[in-house]
Amino acid sequence: MLFQLAIMGLLVALIPLTLTWVSNDADKYRKLVWITLFLTFDLIMFGAFTRLTDSGLGCPDWPGCYGHSNPLLAHEHISAAQEAMPTGPVTVAKAWIEMIHRYLAMAVGVLIITLMVIAWRRWIKSGRTELKFRPWFPTLLFFFVCLQGAFGAWTVTMKLQPVIVTIHLLLGLTLLAMLTWLGARQNAHAPVSSLGRALAVPALIGLLLLTVQIALGAWVSTNYAALACNDFPLCHGALIPQMDFDNG
């Protein structure tokens, strides 16, 4: 089953790898970085779709689906679960949504491994002189995507524990930011202006506030608390409503 899943992830990754290889772009490494960035963004969006359709437990085991590499082979188990509970958490549609999300995640992992291998080869071949191919950051990306994969597994095995799902999202956005930085590093940049230096601190503060807001939004979603207050901007007519902090 693991071998079949690895083949599936490789097959999905072969599409962007082939497009990169046959392209006329002289800098194929740079192109592959940006394609990996684009697919990571797609993965995050599909992860949100998986969450909003309550498909996170569409296959209640990991990494396969009832011990199989795809929902077709697990159709008997899925149909039995759907017959017992027609609205889920396990249905045929939700199983496919969950497994497609996992296939995309494996493909992104394959692409990051490819970037790491290329960086190491080009770095060694150049006599460790090409700063563009310094392999430390792609190697960090590899370990980071392994960590993200672990949280993806815990998301399922711990039955959508809110703190795990929230961290999983934040790690995914961090991975996207890291790939963006790697992509930006492939381009030549003009020296930072005095205005850019002046805006560095406000930008960092804005980034911190944005991260906190995203984390709070994820925490609301993973606890199914979006409709806890059915009025706006107040909550049950109060600015600070009665809250149960012990069980929050």
Side-chain angles (χ1 to χ4, degrees):
M1 187 264 290
L2 292 176
F3 178 74
Q4 292 174 331
L5 285 170
I7 292 297
M8 184 64 71
L10 181 60
L11 287 175
V12 177
L14 277 177
I15 299 174
L17 287 172
T18 302
L19 291 175
T20 303
W21 182 261
V22 301
S23 70
N24 295 323
D25 197 321
D27 192 346
K28 290 182 170 55
Y29 179 77
R30 173 181 174 275
K31 189 179 187 69
L32 185 59
V33 170
W34 285 105
I35 288 178
T36 305
L37 168 66
F38 175 73
L39 288 179
T40 302
F41 176 77
D42 292 338
L43 174 62
I44 293 172
M45 295 297 292
F46 199 85
F49 177 72
T50 303
R51 178 79 183 92
L52 294 173
T53 56
D54 288 327
S55 301
L57 295 177
C59 290
D61 52 338
W62 192 92
C65 192
Y66 288 99
H68 297 283
S69 61
N70 65 73
L72 281 178
L73 298 175
H75 183 74
E76 182 179 348
H77 297 284
I78 296 170
S79 297
Q82 183 172 345
E83 185 177 349
M85 297 182 65
T87 59
V90 178
T91 66
V92 173
K94 291 180 179 181
W96 276 107
I97 291 172
E98 171 64 11
M99 287 308 297
I100 290 173
H101 178 61
R102 296 183 193 181
Y103 297 150
L104 287 173
M106 287 186 288
V108 168
V110 171
L111 294 177
I112 289 176
I113 291 173
T114 303
L115 289 172
M116 179 181 67
V117 171
I118 293 174
W120 274 104
R121 290 188 61 185
R122 296 290 294 270
W123 173 252
I124 294 173
K125 187 176 180 180
S126 68
R128 299 175 174 80
T129 58
E130 285 195 56
L131 299 181
K132 177 181 176 180
F133 294 105
R134 283 181 297 189
W136 321 122
F137 195 75
T139 303
L140 176 62
L141 275 174
F142 166 72
F143 286 107
F144 195 87
V145 80
C146 289
L147 176 64
Q148 172 70 339
F151 271 90
W154 293 331
T155 295
V156 177
T157 57
M158 298 185 70
K159 308 302 179 185
L160 305 182
Q161 185 75 19
V163 66
I164 298 297
V165 179
T166 301
I167 293 174
H168 187 46
L169 171 64
L170 294 176
L171 289 178
L173 292 173
T174 303
L175 179 64
L176 182 68
M178 293 170 71
L179 283 166
T180 302
W181 188 88
L182 180 62
R185 202 177 74 172
Q186 306 306 308
N187 300 326
H189 297 282
V192 179
S193 65
S194 57
L195 177 61
R197 296 189 187 94
L199 291 176
V201 173
L204 287 174
I205 294 173
L207 177 62
L208 177 61
L209 293 175
L210 178 63
T211 302
V212 171
Q213 181 62 21
I214 292 173
L216 289 173
W219 188 242
V220 170
S221 175
T222 54
N223 283 279
Y224 299 93
L227 297 179
C229 298
N230 52 17
D231 51 343
F232 182 85
L234 300 179
C235 183
H236 302 294
L239 180 62
I240 303 178
Q242 184 178 358
M243 292 180 280
D244 183 358
F245 287 100
D246 290 335
N247 297 307

